[in-house]
Amino acid sequence: MNKDPRVQAATAHWSGRFVSNGVPLADFQDVTNSIDRWETWCEAWSARGAIHEELGRESLAGGFKLSAGQHLTVAGVCYHFGKFLFVQDPDQMQIAHRKAVECRNLALENLSPAGERVAIPYEGKTLYGNLRKPIGTDSPSVVVMAMGLDSAKEEMETNEGVFLERGMATLAFDGPGQGEAEYDFAICPEYERPIGAVIEWLSKRTDINSENLGIWGVSLGGYYAPRAAAFDHRIKACISLTGPFDLGACFDNMPSLTQAAFIHRSKAGSTNAAKKIAARLSLRGIAEKIVCPLYVVAGKLDRVIPHEHALQLADSATGEVTLNLIEDGGHVANNRIYKYRSQSADWMANQLNIY
């Protein structure tokens, strides 16, 4: 049987993201090699997640809390990658999603540093996030982490780590159309609204220095983060990882799975309606309002968001801009994380006066 082209594309292009965000390479190879049809994708990744979940629960029962947290985090990532683009079967997608959240929540208190599941009021409902604070730092500065179209807070362990290791707290949260919030809210082009609610919530915490706050966004979050920074000047520094400058301009050329996920999570109901929403995700006439320092990452081999979008953002922002154009990087340059992940974290630490 010939492999489904969607599975072939996943195998060819997603290894960097999966492995750099916590999936063991052998697991990526085993699972993708075992799948011929996209329809079995979620089931296969959920089965692999269950293996790590069992190891985590065994460690927890034995009192090995750190090991439990690590196993359960990997389980959560595997379940997450089962559901992340599996929008054609919402019921199966939601079952895998619940397992991802359950495993990460169970992991949080057993990690080093530990994490806290938090609930943030937003438009009469709730946005959920994971707050983690560096060990040995009172009232640390904080980096708010904006997810993308198909990422969620359960995928953020390795991305959180580079900030935590440098003395910054992290708050990874699911905003409208993302993770746990995708059921209550559609994608929100005006992302300064949920970010404003998050900052207001943080300002009430006595254990976080919310007056020294940065924002980080990945993929579509690479649009959300600078969009928020343009309107909310409480944000002291911004990192944008291969986000679109104008999503409507590249919608037609995005991979079919990405388009389907946008249609689903925007609650558009059709391709034409989704394109109208995508056209609202634009920084034209907005990027000029970004006055805080901005760190922009682009992969020149990006097949999802052309790297020219990052160049346009870098050219348009008013404040100080650092552009990291990675010649051999794909989308989010996940295949070359060593060329930007630690560098951008060091940059953020400098901007927030950690160093």
Side-chain angles (χ1 to χ4, degrees):
M1 176 186 293
N2 293 328
K3 273 191 182 287
D4 187 320
R6 293 168 294 183
V7 176
Q8 290 180 322
T11 304
H13 298 290
W14 292 351
S15 61
R17 175 176 175 182
F18 280 49
V19 173
S20 68
N21 289 343
V23 172
L25 175 60
D27 281 2
F28 180 83
Q29 294 170 333
D30 290 348
V31 175
T32 54
N33 287 337
S34 74
I35 299 170
D36 290 316
R37 297 181 301 112
W38 176 252
E39 287 76 14
T40 63
W41 177 272
C42 186
E43 178 184 3
W45 277 105
S46 294
R48 188 55 54 117
I51 294 172
H52 292 285
E53 180 183 358
E54 182 178 3
L55 291 170
R57 292 185 182 277
E58 287 175 356
S59 295
L60 200 58
F64 303 109
K65 293 186 176 182
L66 182 58
S67 294
Q70 293 168 344
H71 286 305
L72 288 163
T73 291
V74 176
V77 173
C78 289
Y79 284 122
H80 163 73
F81 280 128
K83 63 80 58 177
F84 79 136
L85 286 173
F86 206 72
V87 298
Q88 83 278 2
D89 188 340
D91 291 338
Q92 190 178 168
M93 180 184 74
Q94 191 167 5
I95 290 169
H97 186 199
R98 288 194 193 109
K99 291 299 294 183
V101 174
E102 176 186 339
C103 288
R104 182 60 169 171
N105 287 349
L106 192 56
L108 283 175
E109 66 177 351
N110 299 296
L111 297 173
S112 180
E116 174 190 353
R117 176 174 169 82
V118 300
I120 301 164
Y122 179 70
E123 296 190 353
K125 296 184 179 179
T126 303
L127 303 178
Y128 291 99
N130 296 332
L131 176 65
R132 298 178 72 190
K133 295 175 291 183
I135 295 171
T137 303
D138 295 328
S139 191
S141 302
V142 61
V143 178
V144 175
M145 306 183 77
M147 305 300 101
L149 172 62
D150 53 49
S151 53
K153 61 189 182 304
E154 289 73 35
E155 190 188 343
M156 289 296 111
E157 169 69 21
T158 57
N159 290 287
E160 293 166 357
V162 293
F163 297 112
L164 292 164
E165 291 164 353
R166 289 161 176 78
M168 292 165 278
T170 58
L171 175 54
F173 79 103
D174 293 333
Q178 302 166 319
E180 290 188 85
E182 71 178 86
Y183 310 105
D184 289 331
F185 300 101
I187 283 171
C188 176
E190 299 77 29
Y191 209 77
E192 64 273 14
R193 287 161 43 193
I195 289 294
V198 169
I199 296 175
E200 283 298 314
W201 180 86
L202 279 168
S203 71
K204 297 177 173 63
R205 299 276 303 210
T206 59
D207 58 341
I208 294 290
N209 181 5
S210 63
E211 294 185 358
N212 202 32
L213 178 147
I215 191 168
W216 170 102
V218 59
S219 190
L220 191 54
Y223 157 83
Y224 291 143
R227 164 92 194 201
F231 288 98
D232 197 323
H233 293 166
R234 293 174 294 183
I235 296 170
K236 298 296 192 296
C238 176
I239 296 172
S240 172
L241 303 183
T242 68
F245 189 83
D246 182 343
L247 188 66
C250 56
F251 185 90
D252 286 337
N253 294 320
M254 293 192 307
S256 61
L257 288 172
T258 304
Q259 289 186 8
F262 187 88
I263 293 168
H264 180 83
R265 293 182 174 131
S266 65
K267 305 190 187 303
S270 70
T271 300
N272 285 337
K275 287 182 179 181
K276 292 179 181 177
I277 297 170
R280 290 167 50 200
L281 280 88
S282 174
L283 293 170
R284 297 184 189 281
I286 293 173
E288 292 81 359
K289 299 177 183 178
I290 302 172
V291 295
C292 71
L294 175 66
Y295 189 103
V296 181
V297 175
K300 208 164 185 181
L301 304 181
D302 195 330
R303 58 188 278 275
V304 181
I305 306 296
H307 74 279
E308 288 85 358
H309 285 244
L311 302 183
Q312 197 165 2
L313 171 60
D315 287 342
S316 300
T318 299
E320 174 191 333
V321 177
T322 299
L323 174 64
N324 186 348
L325 178 60
I326 300 172
E327 295 284 337
D328 52 353
H331 188 52
V332 193
N334 282 312
N335 62 324
R336 297 291 184 269
I337 61 166
Y338 51 82
K339 292 188 175 182
Y340 76 88
R341 191 174 278 184
S342 61
Q343 294 89 334
S344 61
D346 288 338
W347 176 90
M348 180 65 80
N350 269 330
Q351 302 305 319
L352 299 183
N353 298 312
I354 307 300
Y355 291 164

